[in-house]
Amino acid sequence: MLLGLFPPDSGTIEVFGKKPELAMRAGHLGAMLQEGKMIPRVSVRELVNFVRQTYRDPLPLAEILELAELTKIADRKVDRLSGGQAQRVRFALALAGDPDLVVLDEPTAALDVESRRDLWAAMQRYAERGNTVLFSTHYLEEADDSADRVVVIAAGRVVADGTTSQIKSMIEGRTVSFVPREGSRDGLDLLPGVSSVEFHGGRVHLRTNDSDSTVHALSRADAFTDLEVSGVGLEEAFIALTHQSRHAPAPEGQTR
């Protein structure tokens, strides 16, 4: 609906003061969908240049290729690209019209670690020009590392909106993890502040609402080595917020 591909069932949508389809035609928006085949047997340069010529005021070809890290492979055929390179070409096509807003749907899905890193670097460069990059992702670590603003949606409603730090601060508690000494696994759930105990890969993970008291108690018992105290991660906050939303009553006058 944001891109003008589907009409809303009710209400109205405006992007930069225009209907979405008009904003798209004016070049205000660019998009990279999660899936989509490219024209085969043409070079990266030819494909990007073909798309940019459909806009009234496109970015220069050399700048697009540089932003998407495609300059070195500009003459390679698009059907000879790796998955990460092909995704950077799709990103370049989204930039072709010099849009104010780029919408990316799961941009790093199925990419290896190095390809993800390269694509994020390209997106960061575009954002540093003063443009806005809006992306949806199931990789919450990426959102935590890259996003200036995070919107959490559950059951059709916005349940949180802010910086990653603000989102994480909405959930109380910290995690205390350590390697237990022999015979020190019993009674951990009785330590002050502890609400849950988990064991992973030889480490104990204590969820606590009072990490200072928990650590002091562990220290007195000489029960650990290699202790770490960490705050709530974005994934934990996401799970907690969406869980709360599913079990919260609907606002007065609304149904689900």
Side-chain angles (χ1 to χ4, degrees):
M1 290 186 287
L2 179 66
L3 300 176
L5 299 176
F6 294 99
D9 294 328
S10 62
T12 58
I13 299 175
E14 285 191 353
V15 185
F16 298 109
K18 300 179 176 67
K19 291 182 178 181
E21 57 270 25
L22 297 180
M24 286 290 293
R25 292 173 188 169
H28 293 307
L29 283 88
M32 185 175 83
L33 302 183
Q34 186 173 350
E35 297 180 352
K37 293 183 179 181
M38 293 181 288
I39 301 172
R41 298 185 297 278
V42 298
S43 69
V44 171
R45 185 190 311 277
E46 289 169 334
L47 179 59
V48 174
N49 195 44
F50 170 76
V51 172
R52 66 177 291 277
Q53 288 178 345
T54 65
Y55 293 95
R56 286 181 294 186
D57 190 20
L59 277 176
L61 176 60
E63 187 173 355
I64 298 173
L65 295 175
E66 182 180 356
L67 283 168
E69 291 190 348
L70 295 172
T71 304
K72 293 182 179 180
I73 60 171
D75 295 319
R76 189 175 302 178
K77 301 297 184 184
V78 295
D79 43 0
R80 297 286 184 177
L81 301 176
S82 68
Q85 292 168 340
Q87 200 71 330
R88 293 208 307 276
V89 171
R90 294 185 183 96
F91 180 61
L93 300 181
L95 307 184
D98 193 16
D100 301 297
L101 170 65
V102 177
V103 181
L104 311 176
D105 181 18
E106 297 285 347
T108 60
L111 295 185
D112 60 46
V113 174
E114 186 173 357
S115 295
R116 287 186 187 181
R117 182 188 62 190
D118 292 343
L119 184 57
W120 279 115
M123 289 188 277
Q124 291 283 3
R125 281 193 297 275
Y126 193 66
E128 288 169 0
R129 297 173 72 253
N131 304 86
T132 299
V133 177
L134 171 64
F135 65 92
S136 63
T137 182
H138 285 95
Y139 299 115
L140 297 187
E141 183 179 344
E142 291 184 334
D144 202 353
D145 291 341
S146 303
D148 298 311
R149 177 184 177 188
V150 173
V151 180
V152 180
I153 299 173
R157 295 189 297 121
V158 173
V159 297
D161 183 351
T163 65
T164 54
S165 297
Q166 290 170 333
I167 299 295
K168 290 183 285 189
S169 69
M170 297 174 68
I171 307 301
E172 296 181 352
R174 300 175 73 83
T175 296
V176 176
S177 68
F178 56 91
V179 176
R181 297 190 188 278
E182 187 173 351
S184 300
R185 288 177 172 245
D186 297 330
L188 294 175
D189 57 329
L190 301 178
L191 293 174
V194 172
S195 58
S196 67
V197 181
E198 296 181 0
F199 299 90
H200 300 294
R203 294 185 67 86
V204 177
H205 298 261
L206 306 179
R207 185 80 181 140
T208 174
N209 294 318
D210 187 347
S211 58
D212 289 342
S213 296
T214 301
V215 171
H216 288 157
L218 286 168
S219 181
R220 287 194 299 269
D222 192 25
F224 65 86
T225 60
D226 192 20
L227 181 138
E228 296 180 358
V229 180
S230 59
V232 174
L234 188 60
E235 181 173 336
E236 293 174 287
F238 173 82
I239 292 172
L241 290 167
T242 54
H243 178 81
Q244 293 171 4
S245 176
R246 285 194 300 267
H247 293 85
E252 186 176 351
Q254 295 186 20
T255 59
R256 293 186 184 169

